[in-house]
Every structure is written in structure tokens, then in C-alpha cells.
Amino acid sequence: MSGNSLYLDGVSVVFDGFQALNNLSLVVEPGELRAIIGPNGAGKTTMMDVITGKTRPTKGTVRFGESDLTRMDEASIAMLGIGRKFQKPTVFDALTVFENLELALKAPRGPIPCLRWRLNGEARTAIERTLAEIGLTERARDRAGLLSHGQRQWLEIGMLLMQDPQLLLVDEPVAGMTDHETELTATLLRGIAGARSVVVVEHDLEFVRALGHRVTVLHEGSVLSEGSIDHVQNDQRVIEVYLGR
Amino acid sequence: MTRRLVLLACVVLLALIPILNLLPDASPFHVSDFIVSICGKWICYAILALALDLAWGYAGILSLGHGAFFALGGYAIGMHLMRLIGPRGVYGHPILPDFMVFLGYTELPWYWLGFDWFIFAFAMALVVPGLLALVVGYLAFRSRITGVYLSIITQALTYALMLAFFRNDMGFGGNNGFTDFKELLGMPLNTPATRSVLFYASLVVLVLAYLMCAALTRTKFGRVLTAIRDAESRVRFLGYDVTQHKLFVFVLSAMLAGVAGALYVPQVGIINPGEFSPGNSIEAVVWVAFGGRGTLVGAILGAFSVNAIKTWLTSFAPDLWLIVLGCLFIAVPLLLPRGLIGLLRRGGGK
Amino acid sequence: MLRLLMLLFLLMAPQAHAQDAFSELLPGLTGGFAQQAETVERLGALGDPRALPLLRALGDTRLLRGPDGTVIVSPGQPPPGSDVIRINNRVRGALRGALGRLQLGSPDPEERLRAAEAILRNRSADDIPILEAALGRETDARIRDRLALALGGARLAAADPASKRIGILALGRSTSPEARALLLQERIATPDLATDIDTAIASIDQRLALRRAAETAFQGLSLGSVLMLAALGLAVTFGVMGIINMAHGEFVMLGAYTTFVVQELCRDIPWLSPWSLPLAVPAAFMVTALIGAAMERGLIRFLYGRPLETLLLTFGVGMVLQQVVRLTFGAQNREVISPPWMQGTLVLPGEITITQNRAWIILFALFVLLATLAAIRLTRFGLEMRAVVQNRRIAATMGIRTGRVDAMTFAFGSGIAGLAGVALSQIDNVSPNLGTGYIIDSFMVVVFGGVGSLMGTLIGAFSLGIFNKLLEPYAGVVLAKVAVLVAIMIFIQRRPKGLFALKGRAADQ
Amino acid sequence: QATPIKVGVLHSLSGTMAISETALRDTVLMMIEWQNARGGILGRRLEAVVVDPASNWPLFAEKARELLAVSKVDVTFGCWTSVSRKSVLPVFEELNGLLFYPVQYEGEEESKNIFYTGAAPNQQAIPAVEYLMSADGGGAKRIALLGTDYVYPRTTNRILRGYLNSKGIADADIIEEYTPFGHSDWQGIVSRVKTFASQGKKTAIVSTINGDANVPFYRELGNQGIKAEDIPCVAFSVGEEELAGIDTRPLVGHLAAWNYFMSVQSPANTEFLAMWRAYIKNPRRVTNDPMEATLTGFKMWAQAVAQAGTTAVDPVRIAMIGQKVNSPCGYTEEMHANHHLSKPVMIGEIQADGQFNIISKTPTAIPAENWSPFIPENANRRRP
Amino acid sequence: MLDVRAIDLSYGASRCLRGVSLSVEPGKVAAVLGRNGVGKSSLLRSIMGLERIGGGGISWEGADISTLAPSERARRGIGYVPQGREIFPFLTVQENLETALAAAPRGSKVPGEVFDLFPILRDFLRRRGGDLSGGQQQQLAIARALTARPRLLILDEPTEGIQPNVIKDIGKVIQYLARDRGFAVVLVEQYFEFARDLADTITVMVRGEVALAGKTDALDEAAVRKLLTV
Ligand SMILES: Nc1ncnc2c1ncn2[C@@H]1O[C@H](COP(=O)(O)OP(=O)(O)OP(=O)(O)O)[C@@H](O)[C@H]1O
Ligand SMILES: Nc1ncnc2c1ncn2[C@@H]1O[C@H](COP(=O)(O)OP(=O)(O)OP(=O)(O)O)[C@@H](O)[C@H]1O
Ligand SMILES: [Mg+2]
Ligand SMILES: [Mg+2]
């Protein structure tokens, strides 16, 4: 497995005096599936913002393989093979579900290639496969703006899959899904990992358990605890700030 | 489908106008010179509307300065037409246009060189607006200026150009601009035959522009534009370079506007800094909104209908036309949520 | 009848005072302009107190030539058969000097001040004794300054160099361009004194430079305050509510017309008419606010969430309003008179002169800004207004009556536009096009300052105003404006969301 | 029943120029009514065709074409700005129409299809400056030329500069300042003029400021205390209409040069005023120079049609030359072969009541020099 | 008591709710369950007045409210926590809470108990709502609804994105509000255990219709779970 690792080293982010990330260091190996949990406001989403170039860190280094992510813009980072699902689902309302996926599909991204792009059979099957996977086959021709909250979540996941990235950053994928769907999602992510790296943020511990990999607990912008789910669940500090008694 | 048919019918009807003009005056199907000349003018407006709709309706770039590109295209051709006057000017100077003789220029400013060739002037009608759009667009899109901020920047652009062109010291004839044109490509300008030629040229450009825009919006590029319009930052996270995409349409749209201006000037016989006035650009936006934003047919329809109503009302009710037209502008968004095109849709839809 | 009784006939038949020098001069007043001017000068030099009312009447076009060639002072309408004696600028100049001489002893300090100034302008060496006497009597410091200056001027006009030198020194202490002009004239006339004059001029120039800098700053502030007033209403309707209100300029225009109407209503009520402008302030606010509320309830509310259609609609409303006003009031300019306390200039220490109307407008603009800020930041209404704008549906589920809030917000913004109209009626045309000239600048200011930030509007307006005025002397009016526009465009590159941008996560979306 | 004679009216009724042009529309309508009350011309009634070119120059050309090609008008009265005239000129020449242009302008033009009934520069600007430099006018030695940046001020000022130089006034004693249309902030310029005036020589302002910009300009002049006896300002575009929007008390003594003032005492003017007030139903409405020029033009055209016995353009055009009208300005104006009128020049002082007091006028009407001798290039001009 | 009787709702041509009924008494919690897109949020929005219903009726405390504007419903004591947080992004936390005082008498303050429940908000009072993290925003949305002291509380997936110990607290609060304060509560939830533990009645929706409804104890859990997975 060639792949790139993700390094975060000593990353801090300060918003008008508020320390959202505090000297955070984290390594995600190629092919690893990493779950990240932590209290609300621990900095999980901010961490993803830093990796994807939405937020510039106040200090510290962020690297993906050889590339220094702090010097790149969002689009180039995405082109490196880092895809993201947002906590608040954002899809293109005016486009159909199918078109949303088509846009996400891995292909050259410049204006001219886009002008020349033709939907060939291969691409069509890929999209249709994903549609089936996210359960939106029936809604393929509907505008995405009409979807319910949960359906939008699924569409976001679908778009992430279409990008076929090396590193997937998934922010709260199962919020608003039924228990059954949660299980499906866990299976899906487990299947993806190995070939690609996956970082999942979730509050649903059942889901995290189902992923069955290493868990990192963030608190106040830095790592509080790291290990298997059982290890973490029995960590007094984690119980204190996160799980409750 | 219906929309396509309506469009085709309109094009055919338009194409007939200069032919009907040839019929004898007495014939019931005769249309007057006047109709030919204003329809020719409206076609140019329609091209401008189309250009604007491409940027605004599809990519969400609400330019309040598209009139500037239109006017620059017009000035480029205007300079050519001025050069063609030659020694027929009032002061009989072999090279300098009248206003320069008059303001005491001794030689042609360097930026006037080359405009004696039609090809060069026409190329400039494309290049100058395109280049300006490239520079302004690059700076703006790179720093992620969006929404009203972008609108105001473009408005400032056209306003600044207007003030600059009003200055007599700029070498573009100041407030009076260019008039008194004599000929174009060897044809004397003020004849019905030339008018018909210009009319057809404009119509062909309109049809081509429509086909190009329609094709463009149907590609994936078009869908990326729509996506940018709705959630620009999300598009970035998918790996698209938003700046490039926006720049591409913006420049294309500016060049289209430039062509429209280039076709317009020989038909109306005057170009002056008034064309840069922000009001004109806003009016173009109004055509698009009136016809229906985000549908190319709507933009064309809007340009034609607003101008037709305006032409009719300024003669029919010179005192009240502003009120009537104003009320129309009020009524359309209230009653037809998608603009005039909404009517067609409703009628032909399902 | 009453008028005839009141008519104060000052019949001055020449034969009655045949030997009198004063009476001998009188016929000269009915001659040609050159003769008039000469007569006036001689009357002034004569120092006869009877000349004072006569000359005043001449200046106010109340002096009549009776049917028999006599001269009559009339307080009102000229009686039939007599003509008003007309004068021209040359006579006016002479008149000012003569009146100055006659009024130097007046009990009214304002009159004495004017007299001192008048003498400076029409100086002659003959005035030295009366000026010295007046200076000796005078206690008021301001008038003493002026008298000293006038005396300096008079000495400069004297023949002997020693006296001239004293004059030069006196003038050199002033900050007045008139003094400088006198010195320059003198420099040409008597080259011997060039060095003295040059030092005096240099010293004046130093103070003048300071004064000019202060005046430029004032002009910038003034332009800024006008921009801000015009933009404030838009900062509410556009900045806060997000409605692209193309009719904003027309609301400003309506405010100006309300001022005109209030003035016309008050015209025939003498005790009220000086107060018509202050009365117009609430009236204009009410009128435009009501129209704004009607427009919001009747039209705009159907279009929330469709900003572009709102643009079309408000554009239409603007057209209608403009033409309705044109048809009702006519296309011509309407005359709005400035109350006396807004006319003329105010002289600050260092001879810095600022025009009164503009000084008032600066104060008024700041007052309107503070009131707006208070309304938005401190009141319940302000909170509900911002909530409704950010999320109309959810605001409703909080129990906020969104319709009412919308109407009130729009009315509020429109009302402020009306207030701007009151101010603009004092410096610009009251015509149907009044608003069109300001709409672009207003949008520019709001955007430059940062949409949604009133502080941004304030800072934006003032910095644009001052920047513009600083450039103007070098670049000329047009290029200065172009430069300001280009500067805005470049600035927005650096700060894509204006001076006072909304920051943070929410703003990225 | 004979077909009516159609009279086109091409004045902006909306937009920036409406302020000035609506009154001219009303004047033409009034004249048509007046003529019809006299039984029309050649036994035919007159009928107005009014259009609104909305202060938009290309629209002027479109409307001109519409008047000529669709409405088939016999004559058109219209335009105010030079650019609007330049915009319609090719249309009138192409379709061989007849346009009466009633506003003072910069000259340098002559078209067989246009009759210019306003003043050329030698009928307004030069006599005015002559007056300023005379002893009566204050003997000005320094001149500030303030204008709106368009052709009329540029040309007029060029001519004036040539004239002033010929009178021994050096370029150092002349400043020119140009502002955009509708300029409203005059603080800087007025105070610069004050500085310019403090250099020791008698200074005067020559204003070619156009339209809307005048009100703020005069307000600033008044507020900064510039008195006519110190720095007189003579204007070429400010008439009674413009003054109606200003409190003129602080401006008494400033000047304007025209070929007609409302305060002219002449029987023709008395008749004009009475007719106007009755027509407009407002005793306070004023008249001004372009209205007088419209009236004179209209009467001349009516006489020419009657003389030619037809409304056809070519015969009327020939009949026009040499027509004389006893104009409200108190003089007889005559149409010359250069399509311009001979006109008297009057200087008026602003009065407290917003009227002008005429303080100087030429003894006779002066013929127009539409090609100014002060512009050297006119020497190589192509003769039409 | 809230009584929803057989309401219909369509978005354009597509029907989203068909004859859905629901009732809650004061002191009781009614849970509405269902897969994505079955119309749960649409039902809540209809109760709140954000959608105009096509048929049926809604009454609250004996009065028919089906035609009232949302703000009037809020003034009658209905509090709403929308799905997807929907806080006011440019208002501070404090101001966000104060918006809910629109119907309260002048000078009312945000009740202190809100901060006891969500202590984090007290630290962030001056921070803009939009800057908060997802979970913090969700907490703010619930706190805001409570600030208005409603008598009927409508919660659309309130636990979404919230950390486990706070979820437990929210559960307790809902219980407290219903049992001790006599609130009526309508709860839409995907987190089955959470809903089951709180609810007195459960309504399961499938494709815009009520598929199963009844008292929590009386329902067959397996059947419910089955409806949620198919
Ligand atoms: N732009 C900003 N301005 C100020 N504070 C911010 C900004 N962005 C984030 N924060 C703060 O940083 C902290 C971390 O936020 P983040 O969204 O990363 O939390 P999170 O771990 O994703 O929480 P959750 O589980 O609730 O989603 C929060 O306290 C938040 O209020
Ligand atoms: N504004 C709308 N216009 C058209 N269709 C809509 C609209 N809102 C929702 N829908 C459709 O109505 C159906 C029900 O939506 P709703 O949001 O009520 O579902 P839900 O049960 O809340 O789902 P979730 O669990 O995902 O939140 C969905 O299929 C959705 O696509
Ligand atoms: Mg988060
Ligand atoms: Mg939902």
C-alpha cells in the first residue's frame, strides 16, 4: 500500500483569543481507520478545517505525505486526494442528486476538461452504484434541495465516495440516521479503510465500537487519550469530561 | 420543447423583418426603416442580456458593470469608424478626427494606432473587454470577493470608466464621444441596405451566442457554475479551482458583451460615455430579471420586451411611461415568480 | 392706504438746501454707474449722518427716482411714476466702502465689524485718522483685529515709505488672503519694499497653509457626513435587511420634497416660518417611513428570499416615485431656503472659515448615526430586527411577529433616507433627480464599510470624504473621484468583505 | 378637411435633462395652440407629436428616426445638449428632416437640416467677458473658467482663452476647472478660486457650469461669502429657471449673459409672458432664453411655411433664410444663410427676487459666428 | 392538550403527509419515529405553522390553531427546536436566547436554569452563535426554546451531534419538564433507546403515514425496529 500518511504536529488555532486547537499532534497512517471523539467544542471540526485548508493554523505543521497543507488552498488539497464530509450537510440544492454525484466524481477539474466532459458508461455505472449504496436511486432525478435532512447526510457521504480520495475526513456521518443505517455506515467505512485512510468524528459510541479501530479523544484542543474503544471508555478523564457516569 | 419552438419562431420572424422592409410602402406587410433599425438595436441588447445571464444566472456573478464591456466594444468599433471618416471631417484633417483637431492634438495618440483596420478594431472589441474582465475578475475572484461586494466593484468599474471617458483629455472625444460616422467596410452607413446587413450580422451573432451559451450550460462546466453559485466554498472542497471557472465565464461574458457593443455602435451611429453609466448596466440586469434569470431564452425575451415596451411608451405616453413601466417592473416579480419566461413555462409546461 | 401712510417720504428737493454739499451731491445718484460710484464715494467721505439711510436704501434697491427727478427712500413698493435706482457691482463696491466709513462709529458691534472689513477692501490713505480714532475707542478684540488690519491696509496706501512699512508689518500679522493680495499689489507698485513685503507674505503663507489644511479637513468631513447620511438608510434596508433597495435615492428625494412642502406650509405663518427646517425633520421621517412601511407590506414582503426580484421591484418603485413627483411638483428645481442660522460662514480661531450649513449637516449626520446605532444595538426592536433578518422562519417560531418587524425596519431605513433628504435640500437641488446622484455613492459606502456594520458606514463615509478632498487639489475633481473608486476596488481586494467585515465561521458560509 | 401639419417635439421629459427641457416642450405646445387659434398654417391645423428621449443620447437618435419615419412629422423642435443634437444630426440629414435647436451652444457646426436659434459663442461669451474687463464690470484682470466637462464649456473656454490672450491677459492669469455633470460638492473649487483671487489682481469667474450643478455651486458661493463686488461670476447657462431653485439674496450682483431675459421691457415680451402664464396656469412660472429661442424659431418656421406654401422640407428651408421675427427680446432677429440668427447680447445682474436686472445690452442684434475666428483650425475647414 | 387530526401536507405535487394524527397531553412525552424522509420534520413544522397543511386540523389547549401564524403559536406557549440547529449565526449567545423572550413581558430575563443545564453557554455568552461548534449550537437551540417557558415543547432530533453525557442530561430534563412541570413534549428522534426511555407514546411513520402508534409499554419493540430498518 503506497498511500500517504497525515501528520499534524504542534498545531494550534486561535480565534480572537480563544484557543480552539492547542498544540495538537496526530498521525494517521496510510490505510488506517481512526475514530475521533470528544466533547462538544473540543476542536474536532476545527481540526478537519485545518487539514482541508479552510482554517489556517496559528502555528504548527500539517503534512500529507510530502505536501505541506498549510500552504495550499482548498482545491489543491482536495486534488491531493483529501475528501471531506461536513458536519452540517452541504449539497448543491439546484442540482439533482445525480448531478451532485457527477460533480464529485473523480475527473480532471479544470474549466476546459469540464467543458469537454462526457458522461460515459463507466462513469454512469459508478454513479449508479453509489446511488444504490446511499439509498437514493429513486431520488436521482430530484433536486437535492428537496431532500430531507437525513437524505442530505447520505448524499454527502455519496459525494465523498465518488471523489475516491486517499484520505476521507468524515464529520458525524450517522447523526440523524436510524440504528440500522448506522450499522450500514460502519460496514461501509470499514470496507473503505485499508485501501484508504479514514478519519471519522462521531459521538455515537456504538458506532465507534462497530468501527473497531483506534480511537483518539480530543479535549480542549489537544489529545486527551488514545487507544482501543475499551481503553478509552474506561479512562477516568474521558468519563469525566465526555461520557458521564 | 415549446420554448425552443417559440425561439425558432422568433428568429424566423426577426429574419423576415429586413425582407419585409423591401416591400413597397403601400403593402400591408411593409415594415418601416424604423422597425429595422430598432430591432437591430434590440438584438444587440439581447446579446448583452445573454452575456449577463451567463455570468449572473448560471455562475451567480451579478455584474453591475456589464455596460462597461458593452461600451468598450462599442468604442473599439467607434474608433475604427472615426478613422474611416478620414479627411471628410469638418476640419478636413487627413488623419485626426475632428475633436482632436479641435482640442489641439498634433498627432494621433499611440492607442489609436491600428484602428484603421477593421480586423484589428473588431479584435479589440473582443480583446479589450476580455482583458479588462480578466484583470478585474482575477483580482476579485482570487480574493474571493462575492455577492454584493463583487456587484459594487463592477459598478465602481463602470462608473470610474464613465468619469474617465467624460474627460476630454482622455482622447476619446469626452462627453460627445464619437458621431458623424460615414462608412463601414466600404458601405455607407446611413442606408437601408447597410442597416439590413448589420441587422443580419447581429442576428447571426445572437443565434450563435445563444447556441454557444446553451451548449455551455449543458456541459459539466455549466453544472459546476451552478454549484459555485449555490455553495462556492463546497465546490472548492471537491477540488475545483473556483477562480478559474468564474474567470472563464466572466471573460467569455465580457467578450460577448463587447461584441454586442461593437454591433450596436454602427447601428445607432453614436457612442459616448453615457454608455458606461451605471444606470445602463442596471437596466441590463433589469431586462434579465424581467425575462427570467437563469434561462437564456428569458434573458433574450427580457431585453426585447422591456425595450419594446419602452420604445412604445416613450412615444405613446411620454409623460406617464416611467410610471407604467415601473408598475410593470413591480408586477412581474409579484405575479410571475420566474419572470416572463414563467408565463411560457406555465403555458407550455407539463 | 396704510402703506401710503407708512411710506416715509424723504423729499430732498435740491432748492431747499442749495448751499448744502450733501444735497448737491444727490443728483449724482441718479446718473450713470460711473457717476453713481463717484457720488457714493464722495458721500462717504463727507461723513454726513443723513447719508447713511440713503446709501443703505441704495444698496437694498429701495432708493427711487421720483417723477420730478428727486430722490426718495421707500420702505416698500415703489409709488407709481417713480423708478427704482439700479446699481451695478462697481457702485456696490463704492457703497460698501462709504457705508464702512459711516458705520465705523455705530453702536452695533456687528456693524462695526462689517465696517472695518469694508474699509480694508476699499482702503485709502484718507481713512487713517478715522481708523486710528476708531481703534482707540474700540474694546472688542475681534473688531480691534480687523481695524488694525484695515489701518495697515490704509497705511499701505499712504505715500510715505515709513507709514507703508508700519502697514506691511500690520498686514503681515494677519491670516487673511485679502491682506496677502494687498501686499502683492503693493509689491508691484513699490519694488523698493519688496524684501519687507516678502517676509510679511511668507509669514502670512505659513498661517494660511495651516488654515487651508484645516479647511480641507473640514471639507472632507463635510463630504463624508453627506455620504454617510445618504448611506445610513441604505445601511439599514440593504445592510441589515439585505434588500437591494434601488428606490433608496427616491426616498432621499421625497425627504427633500417634504422639506419643501413644510416650508411652503409655514411660509404664511410668520412665527413658524423660521422653524420650518427643524419641523421638516420629523415630518420627512414620518412621510418616508410611512411610504416605506406601505411599500414593504404591500410589495416587498412577498419577495423575501428572492433578492434579485426585489431589485427589479424596487427599481420599478423608484421609477414610479420619481415620475409621480415630477408630475406633481414639476421637473424644475424647487427652492428650499436656508434659515439664517445656516447661512454664511463661521470663523474659528486662526481665521479658519467653515460654512454654517455644512457644519450643521455634520452635526446632524452624527446625531442620526447615534440614534440609529442606539435603536439597533440597545432596543428590543433592534434585536428582533436582526433575528428576523438572519432567519425569518425561526424568528417567527420564537414568537417574533416578523411581519411587523419587517415593516418597521424598512420604515426605519426609509425614514433615515428621508432625513438625509432634509439635509441635502440645504446643499443640493431639490429636483426629482436628487436621489439618483447619491444612490451609487451610498451603495459604495455601505459596501466599503462592510455590509451590516453601521460603524463601517461611518468610517467608510468619512474616510472616502477626506481622501477625496485631499486628492482634489492635485488631481482635479474628476480624477480624484476616479482615484477614490479605484482605491475602493483595490481596498476590497484586501478585505473582500469591507472595512468592518463580519468575521467567523458563520460568515464563511 | 386638410390633413394636419405634424410638429415633432423631441425634448427629454425624464432623466437628468428633464429639469431644463420640459419647459421647452411646454413652449412648443403653447405655440402650436397659439398658431391653431389663428387658424393654423395654410389652412391646416397643427398637431404635436411628443416623444420622450429620456436624456439618453442614443435614444434621441431612435426617437428622431421614429418621428421622421413613422410619425412623418413636418418639422421637429428639440434637443438641449450638444451631444443629443450630434446624435440626431445624421438621422435628420439621412431622412431630410427639419430640426430647430433652441439652445446656446459652442458653434463649430452647420447642417442644412438644422436651424440654430440659440446663441453662438460670439453672441454670448465674448461680450460677457468684454463687460467683465470694462470699467463698469470691475476691470477684471484674472479669470477663473469653471465648467462642466463637456464640449460646450471646453469650446467656449478655448475661444475665450484665445480672446483673453489677444487682450493681453497671460495664461498664468487664467485657470480652468472642469467637473462632471451634476457635480454637487463645490467646497474645494470655490475655496481654490478664493485663493486664486487673492493674488492681487481683480478676479472674475466665468461659469459654463451646466444644469443641476448650478444650485449647489451658487449655494457654496453664497455660503463662502463670495460677493459680486469682489469676485463677480458671469454664467452662460444660468437662466431664470435655474435661479427658481435658489435663494438668490446672497447672490445679488452676479451676472449672466443671454440674448433674452424675462425682465426685458418690450411689447413682444409682455405678450409672451401673458401667453405663457395663461398657458401654464401658474403666475409664478418664469420664462428664459431657450424658451424665447423656441418661440422665435417657431414663428419663423410658420412664416416660412406660409411663404413657401408647403411644409415640404426643401422649400421651407430655402424660405427660412432671411425670415425676420420681432422677438420678445425687443429686437428683430433674422435668420441668416448660416442657419443661425442675429441676436442682441444682454448682461443681467441677479436680483434678490430671482430675476435679472439688465445692465448692459448691445445696440443691435449681432450676427452669429458659428465658426469662431479664435479657433485657428477653422481656417482649414471644409466649406459645406 | 395538543391534538393533530388527520393532517395532509403536500410540497407541490408530491404528498408528504397523509392523514397523520397525533395527540399529547400535558405531562406526557410523545415520540415520533421513522426512517429518513418519511415526514417527521414536516409533521413538526406543520404543528409549528411553518408549513400550511392541506387537510385535517391542529388544536392546542382546546383552540384550533391550524391557521395561526407561527409567531402566534409561539405566543400560545409552543416551543420549537428545529432540526439542524438553526440558531441566529450573527447574534451572540445571549442575544440568541433573548430572542425567545419576544412574547414575554418587558424586562424578563433568561431563566438561570437554562445555564445550569448547559453550563457551556454561560462561558460563551458573548460569542457569536455561528462560531460555536455543532454540538454547542444544538445545545443553544434547546436552551433557546426553553427560555420562552413553553407549555408544549417540540423537539426535532435534539440529540444530534451532542456529546453523550449531555445527552443524558437532556433526557433528564425532558423527563423533569414533562413529569414535574407538566409540559407536553413531542420528540422526533433517531436514537431509539433514548426515545423509548422517555416516551409515553410512540408513533412510527412510514412514507408520510402513521404505521404504528400506541403506548410505549404496549408496543412490540421488534415490530417498531423492523419499521425503522426496512
Ligand atoms: N471562527 C470561530 N470563532 C470563534 N470561536 C470558534 C470559531 N470556530 C470554532 N470556534 C470555537 O472552537 C471550539 C472548537 O470548535 P469545533 O467546531 O472544532 O468543535 P467540535 O469538536 O467539532 O465540536 P462538536 O462536537 O460540537 O461539533 C468551539 O468552542 C468553538 O466555539
Ligand atoms: N420544501 C420541500 N419541498 C419538497 N419536498 C420536500 C421539502 N421538504 C421535505 N421534502 C420531502 O418531504 C419528505 C419528508 O421530509 P422530512 O424532512 O419531513 O423528513 P424526515 O422524516 O424529517 O427525515 P429525516 O429523518 O431525514 O430528517 C422527504 O422526502 C423530502 O424530500
Ligand atoms: Mg464538530
Ligand atoms: Mg427531519
Side-chain angles (χ1 to χ4, degrees), chain D residues 3-33:
Chain D
T3 49
I5 298 175
K6 287 190 173 172
V7 180
V9 185
L10 186 61
H11 284 298
S12 298
L13 309 179
S14 58
T16 46
M17 291 315 296
I19 284 186
S20 309
E21 291 193 64
T22 40
L24 297 192
R25 185 259 327 248
D26 293 335
T27 310
V28 180
L29 294 183
M30 171 184 83
M31 290 312 293
I32 289 175
E33 197 180 283

Side-chain angles (χ1 to χ4, degrees), chain A residues 40-46 87 171-172 201 203, chain C residues 505, chain E residues 85 133-135 161:
Chain A
N40 293 133
K44 304 180 294 293
T45 302
T46 308
Q87 181 168 5
D171 203 349
E172 303 202 0
V201 168
H203 290 293
Chain C
R505 275 188 170 172
Chain E
R85 333 193 203 294
S133 80

Side-chain angles (χ1 to χ4, degrees), chain A residues 52 54 74-75 78-79 84 86 90 92 94-95 99 102-103 107 109-112 114-115 117 156 159 163, chain B residues 144 216 219-221 223-224 226-231 233-242 244-245 248:
Chain A
T52 53
K54 186 174 181 197
E74 299 96 317
M79 289 309 282
R84 175 176 183 183
F86 285 81
T90 33
F92 305 118
L95 301 178
E99 287 168 341
E102 185 192 357
L103 277 200
R109 300 295 208 215
I112 306 292
C114 283
L115 274 172
W117 162 263
E156 272 246 25
M159 287 166 73
Q163 280 181 71
Chain B
R144 305 200 179 164
L216 193 140
T219 62
K220 185 167 147 199
F221 178 72
R223 290 191 283 283
V224 175
T226 314
I228 289 175
R229 181 185 76 193
D230 291 344
S233 68
R234 186 70 180 86
V235 180
R236 287 207 181 87
F237 289 110
L238 286 181
Y240 290 95
D241 187 332
V242 170
Q244 276 181 19
H245 281 82
F248 189 95

Side-chain angles (χ1 to χ4, degrees), chain B residues 202-257:
Chain B
S202 313
L203 189 61
V204 168
V205 171
L206 176 65
V207 170
L208 288 181
Y210 172 79
L211 292 177
M212 181 190 78
C213 292
L216 193 140
T217 53
R218 271 197 298 273
T219 62
K220 185 167 147 199
F221 178 72
R223 290 191 283 283
V224 175
L225 291 185
T226 314
I228 289 175
R229 181 185 76 193
D230 291 344
E232 177 168 330
S233 68
R234 186 70 180 86
V235 180
R236 287 207 181 87
F237 289 110
L238 286 181
Y240 290 95
D241 187 332
V242 170
T243 308
Q244 276 181 19
H245 281 82
K246 281 182 148 183
L247 210 50
F248 189 95
V249 258
F250 193 56
V251 169
L252 190 70
S253 162
M255 285 166 58
L256 203 51

Side-chain angles (χ1 to χ4, degrees), chain E residues 75-153:
Chain E
R75 282 160 187 264
R76 292 187 179 207
I78 305 183
Y80 176 56
V81 178
Q83 184 169 24
R85 333 193 203 294
E86 309 247 14
I87 44 116
F88 301 109
F90 295 109
L91 298 187
T92 62
V93 168
Q94 167 92 38
E95 288 171 333
N96 260 287
L97 294 172
E98 282 173 358
T99 54
L101 296 173
R106 271 187 171 276
S108 327
K109 291 248 155 42
V110 179
E113 55 189 48
V114 164
F115 297 115
D116 299 339
L117 180 60
F118 303 112
I120 214 171
L121 296 182
R122 186 176 286 134
D123 305 338
F124 286 170
L125 272 181
R126 312 205 139 268
R127 189 93 59 92
R128 261 192 298 259
D131 289 347
L132 299 186
S133 80
Q136 291 164 344
Q137 291 186 2
Q138 186 67 41
Q139 299 181 21
L140 173 58
I142 301 173
R144 186 178 58 184
L146 293 180
T147 301
R149 299 185 184 148
R151 298 187 293 283
L152 166 64
L153 193 57

Side-chain angles (χ1 to χ4, degrees), chain C residues 151 258 393:
Chain C
L151 186 56
T258 311
R393 283 158 59 94

Side-chain angles (χ1 to χ4, degrees), chain B residues 17-18 20-23 25 30-40 190-193 195-196 199, chain D residues 65-66 68-70 72 94-95:
Chain B
I17 286 179
L20 294 180
N21 176 236
L22 294 181
L23 294 176
D25 262 7
H30 171 82
V31 296
S32 70
D33 277 4
F34 172 66
I35 301 285
V36 180
S37 82
I38 53 170
C39 282
N190 285 324
T191 61
R195 256 199 297 284
S196 301
F199 182 97
Chain D
R65 187 175 292 278
E66 185 180 347
L68 293 172
V70 179
K72 307 226 185 304
E94 179 194 339
L95 302 177

